[in-house]
Amino acid sequence: MKLSARGMALAILFVLLIPKAVLASELSGLVLSAGGDPVDKARVTIVDLRRETTTDADGRFIFVDIPAGDYLVDVRSLEFGGAIQRIEIGDAPVEATFELDQRIHVGAISVTASGRARGLDEVVAPIDVLTDDELALRVQPTLGDTLSEQPGVASANYGQGASRPVIRGLSSERVRVLENGLDSGDVSSIGPDHQTTIDPLSAERIEVVRGPATLLFGGTAIGGVVNVTDGRIPDRVPDKPVTGTVSLRGSTNNNDLAGSVSLDGGKGNFAWHFEAFARDADDYESPAPRPVEEDEHHDHEGEHEEEDEHHDHEGEHEEEFETGRVENTFIEARGGALGLSWIGDRGYIGVSYSLYDSEFGIPGHHHHHEEEHEDGMRRAAMVTDDHDHDHEEEEAGAASNLEQHKVDLHGRYDRPFKGVEALQLRIGYRDYEHVEAAGDEPGTRFANEFSEVRVEALTSPIRGFEGMVGLHYLNRDFSAIGEEAFVQPNKTERVALFLYQEMPAAPWGVQFGLRAENQSTKSVDPTLPSRDFSPFSASVGATYAFTDAVGLNLTVNHSQRAPAAEELYANGPHLATTTFEIGDPDLDLETGNGADLTLRLAGDRVSGWASVYLTEFSDFIYLAETGLEEDELPVFQFMAADARVAGFELHGDFEVLHSANHHIHIEGTYDRVSGELTDVDERLPRIPPQRFRLGLVYQGGRWHGRIEGRWVDEQDRVAQFEESTPDYTMLNAAVGYHFLAGGIAHHILLRGTNLTDEVAYNHVSFIKYQAPIPGRMVTLSYRAVF
């Protein structure tokens, strides 16, 4: 309740601080198609001011009473594509011309890296943005799988239901997953079988930020930041009474049926948002061999004994494998959100409520212990007859039932006083609970009550520098009760101050950032000590623009992360990782010192970016094998040692043909990462293998399509007791058609993945051989935008 009182006070302050503005100039312009024809009904948005209008029949638009400043203008047409342009507004009226383009990466905007809207051609840092057609092409049931083909991003999936992004080989408490700039508030960071409570169906834009820009979010984001934007709190009044998107999709292989609706409207100073989604998918199928589950194995034991009666080892049998349906990988999910905002000339304040409800299978969860075989392909979860009898109820398969409620309040006040362009406020409250159970066995209940506040001041240019200064507060109250409660209930509170400033490249640019935190963590167990930490992080970088299209950035950074509660206090069986985990309450701060070198191209025919990075860790926290057993599980303990993570990422587009109605380009991505514990000369576990993707993309007036090959190398650079995985090559393809009818843009997409039905295993997964990568899948989707 204390947070609610603080939030209400801040909200009232924002309302009182939004007077009418004294504005001055005007912006007008012309919007043309790639063929040079005027485009009517195109939406024109001044992103920084959250003002929008539409073009008339002659393709013209006008904004009046625009304050002087530097603004990013975004133009979108349902039929002809988009364009962005940065425009300087002074005392005199400004006239601009926009030529629209249907190329898939044109017009992408990032807001996460610096707190300001930036076109990707203005950002040198390694950032990916998925919107519109590309998001529709990549969307999967989980966030991790949706992003798994982006450079440097893998998926720690646990079947279809649970999947969290792994960025640059780091995951869990080193990768932040955000929703509209605030933490998702789930418990996916403490276990790979826990779901991220963001369904990609509801996303409007997904940003993946790597490198020094993650400093704004602290040491828990040293691997990277994923920010999903869904527009549930409107920041502008739409130019039409109702706008929205309706989508439907169905897939073979897992019989996935999914749909979503997102609506926006408003009048006067009020705007509203509504969204809903639902998904229902059966167990998927895979051609990959998997160990036969223990109950099936015993059903045929007598038969094997008869066949092997003359064998030297009578009564024994070889390990059996199966293909086809991967049991207990189903998922059902549904949810929705309501948002309402009051919008003035110099800001807005809005509130939203959302619900996420799901049930999904947890494959392999009944296995207590996994043994490593010399041949990684023949790894199986074999248990004794007694153990199988004791847990025969679990052989039916475990499932997770999850429900989360979210309440958010966002506000912004432009130009409150000299030196500050805007004040931004975000407040979030999450009430999360999920229960894991199998059959009639008592379930384990996980609960997480999470509160967060971010207050940011966007600073005006001072000696060429602009950026933000802010305050960040979060409070987490976690509990787990039941058989799999491997950590006692605990509370974590964190307060941070941060500063980020940048000077645009002309040709030299500079960026620097600072973040100081204080974190306190306390367990309900009186025998465990409370811990207080004061992490400090900093970065400094320089950018050189060789031309308007070529820029190079070098950044060095120092980042510290306080141990998570489970790393301090764990003491129990964690069946998702098939280990008995023990924390260390004496762990110290984890410190990383690194460098990141990024080259970005934004040419007419060649565009993309390449990044090489290195981070040296001291007191890197990891789970170490002890050689002991507890409850028939191998005992692992959280320890700290020096470590090194290094890698390379590449994303490039090469234009083959570009005309008014046809565009063809070649798209390629490559990534490689290595990680090792330098103190003990061992590899870090579950490091993604090197990957290469090459595609041929066509975009026309109505039709678009692509065919791409994805090669993933074998991973034999593995940690002690970890299995290797073989290489594989996948063929994917898609063809789409869109048309405009009745003022509605209709998009139809037919997509095929793993078309050759390749046998493949995800090395990053804890259950890579129990839940291999799905086989051939064909998805048909329809999306209506109006």
Side-chain angles (χ1 to χ4, degrees):
M1 294 303 294
K2 292 182 179 179
L3 180 62
S4 299
R6 295 171 187 167
M8 287 301 296
L10 288 168
I12 293 171
L13 177 63
F14 263 72
V15 172
L16 295 175
L17 287 175
I18 304 182
K20 292 288 184 180
V22 179
L23 306 175
S25 192
E26 70 177 40
L27 169 66
S28 59
L30 176 65
V31 177
L32 303 174
S33 68
D37 298 320
V39 176
D40 67 336
K41 298 180 181 178
R43 188 185 72 246
V44 185
T45 305
I46 304 178
V47 179
D48 309 84
L49 297 179
R50 304 169 309 283
R51 293 180 59 181
E52 64 181 43
T53 187
T54 55
T55 56
D56 60 20
D58 297 322
R60 299 199 61 83
F61 67 90
I62 187 170
F63 292 97
V64 298
D65 295 333
I66 304 299
D70 185 38
Y71 301 111
L72 191 67
V73 180
D74 180 31
V75 181
R76 298 285 152 187
S77 167
L78 295 178
E79 188 172 9
F80 296 102
I84 61 172
Q85 194 176 140
R86 184 163 292 281
I87 297 177
E88 183 76 25
I89 303 292
D91 295 334
V94 176
E95 174 80 13
T97 300
F98 294 83
E99 184 175 305
L100 302 186
D101 198 318
Q102 292 187 338
R103 285 178 290 179
I104 200 164
H105 298 300
V106 169
I109 297 174
S110 170
V111 297
T112 305
S114 65
R116 284 177 165 83
R118 296 278 190 264
L120 283 190
D121 58 348
E122 301 178 296
V123 180
V124 180
I127 295 173
D128 280 330
V129 180
L130 273 67
T131 60
D132 302 328
D133 289 341
E134 186 168 19
L135 181 55
L137 179 72
R138 302 296 179 192
V139 70
Q140 296 288 345
T142 61
L143 183 61
D145 288 343
T146 298
L147 299 174
S148 62
E149 295 190 8
Q150 302 306 115
V153 184
S155 172
N157 60 353
Y158 212 96
Q160 288 186 111
S163 172
R164 203 172 196 271
V166 175
I167 303 179
R168 294 183 166 182
L170 301 175
S171 60
S172 300
E173 287 294 330
R174 300 180 183 93
V175 172
R176 289 292 303 276
V177 176
L178 309 177
E179 189 173 32
N180 302 306
L182 294 177
D183 198 283
S184 58
D186 52 50
V187 296
S188 60
S189 64
I190 71 169
D193 61 332
H194 299 160
Q195 193 175 49
T196 300
T197 54
I198 301 175
D199 195 297
L201 279 175
S202 62
E204 293 181 357
R205 179 178 68 233
I206 303 177
E207 293 186 50
V208 181
V209 181
R210 316 163 188 78
T214 61
L215 174 82
L216 292 174
F217 305 94
T220 54
I222 189 171
V225 173
V226 175
N227 188 20
V228 180
T229 305
D230 58 19
R232 69 179 52 164
I233 296 182
D235 61 3
R236 69 200 69 181
V237 179
D239 60 329
K240 296 192 294 185
V242 178
T243 64
T245 302
V246 176
S247 65
L248 299 169
R249 53 176 279 152
S251 299
T252 63
N253 186 306
N254 62 350
N255 299 318
D256 181 22
L257 293 175
S260 66
V261 58
S262 176
L263 302 175
D264 291 279
K267 186 176 182 180
N269 291 103
F270 291 93
W272 56 266
H273 174 85
F274 169 80
E275 67 183 57
F277 71 89
R279 177 188 302 279
D280 188 348
D282 296 337
D283 295 344
Y284 69 83
E285 296 187 355
S286 172
R290 304 180 305 282
V292 173
E293 301 294 353
E294 192 70 10
D295 55 343
E296 297 177 38
H297 183 83
H298 281 274
D299 287 343
H300 298 282
E301 189 175 70
E303 179 182 340
H304 279 290
E305 289 177 354
E306 291 180 8
E307 293 176 356
D308 296 344
E309 59 183 353
H310 300 295
H311 196 276
D312 291 338
H313 302 282
E314 184 176 351
E316 296 184 3
H317 49 264
E318 293 185 359
E319 185 179 338
E320 294 184 9
F321 292 85
E322 62 182 350
T323 61
R325 183 170 66 92
V326 181
E327 293 185 4
N328 215 31
T329 56
F330 71 91
I331 176 174
E332 297 179 11
R334 62 209 64 82
L338 288 170
L340 179 66
S341 295
W342 182 90
I343 299 168
D345 292 332
R346 291 175 64 183
Y348 74 95
I349 187 165
V351 64
S352 72
Y353 164 78
S354 63
L355 169 68
Y356 186 91
D357 189 345
S358 73
E359 180 182 2
F360 60 94
I362 309 175
H365 208 259
H366 53 270
H367 294 303
H368 251 213
H369 183 44
E370 293 180 308
E371 298 177 357
E372 190 77 47
H373 290 251
E374 291 183 3
D375 183 0
M377 286 288 293
R378 299 180 65 82
R379 181 181 187 236
M382 304 298 293
V383 293
T384 65
D385 290 349
D386 291 338
H387 178 70
D388 182 67
H389 175 75
D390 292 341
H391 293 271
E392 61 182 334
E393 290 290 332
E394 285 193 0
E395 294 296 316
S400 179
N401 288 274
L402 183 155
E403 183 173 293
Q404 186 183 47
H405 301 266
K406 300 178 183 178
V407 178
D408 291 277
L409 185 148
H410 291 185
R412 176 171 168 134
Y413 174 43
D414 293 327
R415 303 176 302 283
F417 41 80
K418 186 176 180 180
V420 175
E421 290 186 0
L423 290 174
Q424 297 183 151
L425 169 70
R426 294 188 183 95
I427 301 175
Y429 172 77
R430 286 84 173 92
D431 185 7
Y432 171 99
E433 178 178 308
H434 87 257
V435 176
E436 296 177 6
D440 297 327
E441 292 292 320
T444 301
R445 175 184 174 272
F446 294 83
N448 198 47
E449 190 173 3
F450 190 93
S451 303
E452 184 175 12
V453 178
R454 285 184 73 96
V455 181
E456 301 165 342
L458 303 183
T459 57
S460 302
I462 302 175
R463 297 186 180 275
F465 282 92
E466 61 182 15
M468 71 164 63
V469 59
L471 170 69
H472 184 202
Y473 169 84
L474 66 82
N475 186 293
R476 175 187 183 230
D477 190 346
F478 170 82
S479 65
I481 301 173
E483 181 184 357
E484 297 186 34
F486 67 98
V487 62
Q488 290 286 332
N490 56 79
K491 294 183 179 181
T492 299
E493 187 173 42
R494 184 184 305 154
V495 179
L497 292 171
F498 58 88
L499 169 72
Y500 179 80
Q501 295 288 304
E502 60 184 10
M503 181 178 66
W508 282 99
V510 178
Q511 313 90 36
F512 69 89
L514 304 170
R515 182 180 172 106
E517 299 182 16
N518 179 265
Q519 175 176 308
S520 62
T521 305
K522 181 179 181 179
S523 172
V524 298
D525 187 342
T527 65
L528 296 173
S530 300
R531 296 295 309 276
D532 291 305
F533 302 92
S534 297
F536 176 78
S537 301
S539 72
V540 60
T543 299
Y544 183 77
F546 297 96
T547 68
D548 290 341
V550 182
L552 183 70
N553 176 266
L554 173 64
T555 300
V556 294
N557 60 80
H558 167 83
S559 181
Q560 289 187 315
R561 179 181 74 89
E566 52 273 15
E567 295 169 334
L568 295 170
Y569 304 136
N571 187 16
H574 194 181
L575 300 192
T577 58
T578 62
T579 60
F580 190 99
E581 294 183 6
I582 299 177
D584 181 355
D586 296 323
L587 287 171
D588 205 347
L589 289 171
E590 177 182 282
T591 301
N593 295 301
D596 193 297
L597 181 66
T598 300
L599 175 70
R600 183 173 287 276
L601 306 177
D604 292 332
R605 297 197 62 185
V606 179
S607 62
W609 56 267
S611 183
V612 59
Y613 58 90
L614 168 69
T615 302
E616 295 277 356
F617 289 94
S618 60
D619 293 323
F620 183 88
I621 301 171
Y622 70 104
L623 271 175
E625 169 81 53
T626 65
L628 305 174
E629 279 197 2
E630 183 75 25
D631 292 346
E632 300 183 22
L633 291 170
V635 174
F636 280 69
Q637 182 163 10
F638 284 101
M639 296 183 179
D642 292 347
R644 178 186 299 118
V645 175
F648 175 76
E649 301 160 347
L650 171 70
H651 184 176
D653 296 319
F654 176 74
E655 181 182 290
V656 177
L657 170 69
H658 185 63
S659 65
N661 298 315
H662 304 283
H663 173 82
I664 299 175
H665 76 265
I666 297 172
E667 179 180 275
T669 64
Y670 173 81
D671 57 55
R672 182 187 181 107
V673 60
S674 64
E676 59 183 349
L677 295 168
T678 54
D679 272 357
V680 293
D681 194 25
E682 290 182 7
R683 304 290 181 186
L684 288 175
R686 292 173 299 283
I687 293 294
Q690 65 174 333
R691 308 178 302 173
F692 176 66
R693 178 170 61 87
L694 186 66
L696 182 65
V697 182
Y698 168 77
Q699 291 169 283
R702 291 283 183 269
W703 293 92
H704 63 93
R706 70 168 55 212
I707 184 169
E708 62 183 29
R710 186 167 180 254
W711 172 75
V712 178
D713 196 9
E714 66 176 346
Q715 182 57 290
D716 55 6
R717 299 162 63 89
V718 295
Q720 189 178 15
F721 306 111
E722 185 186 14
E723 63 205 301
S724 61
T725 47
D727 66 327
Y728 62 88
T729 303
M730 280 190 179
L731 178 66
N732 304 324
V735 60
Y737 180 76
H738 75 268
F739 61 95
L740 191 66
I744 300 175
H746 304 268
H747 301 263
I748 301 171
L749 178 68
L750 183 66
R751 180 183 71 182
T753 56
N754 195 6
L755 291 173
T756 57
D757 213 26
E758 181 82 1
V759 172
Y761 302 94
N762 177 16
H763 186 81
V764 181
S765 173
F766 275 90
I767 54 169
K768 54 183 70 69
Y769 286 107
Q770 281 69 43
I773 293 175
R776 183 186 299 111
M777 184 179 295
V778 177
T779 301
L780 178 64
S781 63
Y782 166 76
R783 182 163 53 99
V785 183
F786 53 91

